[in-house]
Amino acid sequence: MLAGTVSRDGAIGRTVEVGTPTDGPQSFFAELESLVEALRPDGGAAIGVGAPMNFDRRTGVGLGAVNLPLESLDVAGRLRERFGLPVGVENDGNVTALAEWRVGAGRGTTDLVALALGTGVGGGIVSDGRLFRGWAEVGHIVVEADGPPCQGNCHGRGHLEAVASGEAAERAAHALWGGDGDARRLVSEAEAGHERARAAVEQIGHYVGIAIGSLVNIFAPELVVVGGGFGVAAWGLIREPAYAAARRESVRPADETIRIVPAALGDDAGLVGAGLVGFEALDGER
Ligand SMILES: [Zn+2]
């Protein structure tokens, strides 16, 4: 869990990071509050939270998470009570999209899809100049019917997250090099010309493009932004296969006009977006 002070223009001040507790809501809240506590001397007008869970957009209550044992958590209510500040909460994929839209690669667009390829796959959608605040679980759209099982609490098969996440890259690396393989090595060996490593990363890019094609056909974005730790690291290798698949799957005229670009904020997008959610709460926009 990463916390930091963020200004309105997206500039990051001091940051603090701790491991994410996975043993339940008590320790999750304890860590969350200690992070805010640690940053309080730096000032702050509001608190914004991005978390890998779905939130009820009216109440701000967390409704469950794919990769964490958390359910029915009133994150905003609890932080508001404890710190007496406006609090905004949002799905982590949505905050990534918000950050890239407001201060990153998607600045100036009114329709945008953001994908974040990390441990899982997140993302968000800006439609007609507004962040879609619903369950934009873009990592859990099917890109391979009846494909491999998904991750965490997700019982789906062939979801984007199952085949195009950093975890999927880890599995591909383990298949090639056993315990010595990880996603980082997969990318660096692929860049150095290792054929099977390259094929594995390009296959991931292909799946990303398939997903982009479906998203383009529904939301008609001007721009698709690909970020996340793995997405940014592997961008040079996944760009072409992603474009090819996205063009094949997109209906006209998007098959020619679609633009796919790497995220501008890199790993900072989540923190910056959470900060912007805090400002939205301060401004009464949520
Ligand atoms: Zn899934």
Side-chain angles (χ1 to χ4, degrees), residues 66 139-141 150-151 154-157 159-162:
V66 174
H140 299 275
I141 59 175
C150 202
Q151 305 183 161
C154 181
H155 44 63
R157 302 189 78 98
H159 290 182
L160 183 62
E161 179 162 309

Side-chain angles (χ1 to χ4, degrees), residues 144-218:
E144 186 186 328
D146 307 316
C150 202
Q151 305 183 161
N153 302 330
C154 181
H155 44 63
R157 302 189 78 98
H159 290 182
L160 183 62
E161 179 162 309
V163 294
S165 58
E167 279 296 308
E170 292 275 332
R171 282 195 299 276
H174 287 156
L176 284 175
W177 302 295
D180 294 337
D182 60 14
R184 196 178 297 268
R185 180 172 174 193
L186 188 74
V187 171
S188 64
E189 297 262 8
E191 282 169 343
H194 188 295
E195 258 182 48
R196 288 169 65 199
R198 196 176 179 92
V201 180
E202 287 179 352
Q203 181 63 37
I204 290 175
H206 176 72
Y207 282 126
V208 171
I210 297 284
I212 289 173
S214 290
L215 292 164
V216 163
N217 290 341
I218 300 168

Side-chain angles (χ1 to χ4, degrees), residues 19 21 29 52 56 78 83 99 116 124 129 135 142 150 199 201 211 224 228 248 255:
F29 273 123
D56 183 308
R78 180 140 169 180
F83 296 103
W135 294 15
V142 177
C150 202
V201 180
V224 177
R248 188 185 79 185
D255 56 346

